[in-house]
Amino acid sequence: MTIKTRGFITILTGLYSFQDCIHFLAAIRKFHQEPIIILIDRVPKILYPFLKVFKNVILKPAPADTNTVLASRQAKLALYNASEFDKTIYLDSDICLLSNINDVFDYLDEYDFLLTEDVQPSIPKATNLLRGKQQDMLPDVLPILQSVGLPLQEDSVQYNGGFMAFRKTETTKIFFDEFKRYFEIVKNNQDKLLLKDQGAFASAIASVKPKMKILSPAYNYLSKWKDTYNITEEIKVLHCTYPYRPQYAKNITRSLYTRIFDRFAQVFLPNQVTNPWRTK
């Protein structure tokens, strides 16, 4: 009988998210013992031991780029090939688990993909994907996305790529190949589009149509948008958008190690909120 493997994967490109990642690992290890792969770039190797304090952490090189935002996008395209597992849960490194998510692994017995919708799921309203003043761009969103070659329609959905779960299947492999192809379109049209992956991701979903399940916002709860949710169930996955950091979830990640590390971070790591790459 073949043993099905399962594990987590995240991305760490640059020092601005390093403190987040420490708390990410602490939260995972509070509830799960599966291996955690970190696709890492532009982090001095002298800091690697801070990550390896947590057991069963595997560091792999992420696609390198001087632009840490582009590097993180390209790393997301590489998730399928980088994963060593039959079942993989990807989480952004600024996420904090609030409970175990074994049910997500269980769902992958039936589905190729598990996703959550963005707080603004309608692609025709996704002004966040375009360059220019968002309040002026609404009528142009879909025409611009279609004009560059993205196969999106009125009913296309914007998903939040901070959480996804997938199993290794031929369909999932094709999906990531298409995701990469459509992201090249986004990258080659920077005069019109921001360097974001949601449009390419939605395009790959639309073209491949994997067997997928949409989970509730409880599995990708963005604290910045808390007033927009109407959730009655327990929040399982806290996505700590700027300026709300995962290390604020002290009841989950607080330990002697994280307390000491947070003191170290104040002195030696760059300020996360003022990260200049966030404005590019």
Side-chain angles (χ1 to χ4, degrees):
M1 179 179 177
T2 302
I3 298 175
K4 296 291 185 181
T5 58
R6 63 189 211 178
F8 294 88
I9 191 167
T10 193
I11 295 167
L12 178 58
T13 53
L15 286 176
Y16 289 99
S17 297
F18 195 91
Q19 186 180 10
D20 289 350
C21 196
I22 291 293
H23 286 266
F24 167 88
L25 295 171
I28 296 285
R29 282 292 170 259
K30 187 177 181 69
F31 303 107
H32 288 273
Q33 298 307 311
E34 290 89 354
I36 306 169
I37 294 173
I38 303 176
L39 299 184
I40 192 167
D41 181 49
R42 298 181 66 79
V43 173
K45 290 188 176 180
I46 195 172
L47 297 179
Y48 285 12
F50 288 105
L51 303 169
K52 298 287 284 185
V53 163
F54 301 93
K55 294 180 180 179
N56 214 0
V57 169
I58 304 163
L59 303 181
K60 291 188 173 186
D65 199 282
T66 55
N67 182 330
T68 56
V69 173
L70 180 56
S72 68
R73 304 291 188 260
Q74 293 180 152
K76 193 167 288 187
L77 301 175
L79 291 176
Y80 183 90
N81 290 331
S83 173
E84 302 176 3
F85 318 120
D86 298 303
K87 299 177 178 181
T88 303
I89 296 177
Y90 166 79
L91 301 168
D92 279 355
S93 62
D94 60 352
I95 273 176
C96 181
L97 289 193
L98 302 183
S99 71
N100 80 70
I101 51 174
N102 285 316
D103 55 337
V104 174
F105 285 121
D106 293 340
Y107 285 135
L108 288 173
D109 287 332
E110 181 178 357
Y111 297 95
D112 294 320
F113 251 102
L114 302 174
L115 301 166
T116 62
E117 292 184 350
D118 194 75
V119 291
Q120 200 304 98
S122 174
I123 282 288
K125 296 180 181 179
T127 56
N128 56 296
L129 303 181
L130 305 184
R131 292 196 180 275
K133 294 182 179 179
Q134 292 196 6
Q135 62 269 28
D136 300 331
M137 301 298 290
L138 188 58
D140 303 319
V141 174
L142 192 57
I144 289 176
L145 294 174
Q146 291 175 335
S147 72
V148 301
L150 299 181
L152 300 169
Q153 305 298 328
E154 287 285 347
D155 60 352
S156 295
V157 175
Q158 179 175 209
Y159 301 96
N160 187 287
F163 166 96
M164 70 177 86
F166 59 89
R167 59 177 173 168
K168 285 288 186 86
T169 66
E170 185 60 27
T171 299
T172 310
K173 182 181 184 301
I174 293 171
F175 168 83
F176 275 97
D177 289 342
E178 290 295 280
F179 184 18
K180 183 176 181 180
R181 182 168 72 88
Y182 288 124
F183 184 75
E184 284 299 309
I185 292 175
V186 173
K187 191 169 68 171
N188 293 333
N189 286 274
Q190 289 299 282
D191 58 323
K192 300 176 182 178
L193 307 181
L194 292 171
L195 194 59
K196 295 186 176 183
D197 56 67
Q198 293 99 312
F201 194 91
S203 297
I205 291 287
S207 61
V208 178
K209 296 181 174 61
K211 185 179 182 182
M212 62 185 195
K213 180 178 178 64
I214 308 303
L215 298 177
S216 81
Y219 291 84
N220 193 1
Y221 184 89
L222 286 86
S223 50
K224 182 178 179 179
W225 306 106
K226 59 185 178 180
D227 293 335
T228 67
Y229 295 118
N230 182 20
I231 299 178
T232 57
E233 61 189 296
E234 175 190 8
I235 297 169
K236 293 191 170 187
V237 180
L238 176 64
H239 197 161
C240 300
T241 50
Y242 287 80
Y244 306 100
R245 310 313 315 138
Q247 52 266 29
Y248 294 167
K250 299 295 189 183
N251 58 320
I252 299 296
T253 64
R254 188 175 181 84
S255 68
L256 177 60
Y257 176 68
T258 56
R259 292 203 308 270
I260 293 172
F261 184 86
D262 287 346
R263 295 285 184 88
F264 166 87
Q266 289 178 354
V267 178
F268 294 102
L269 293 181
N271 187 295
Q272 298 154 312
V273 178
T274 57
N275 177 359
W277 287 111
R278 294 189 57 76
T279 63
K280 296 187 179 182

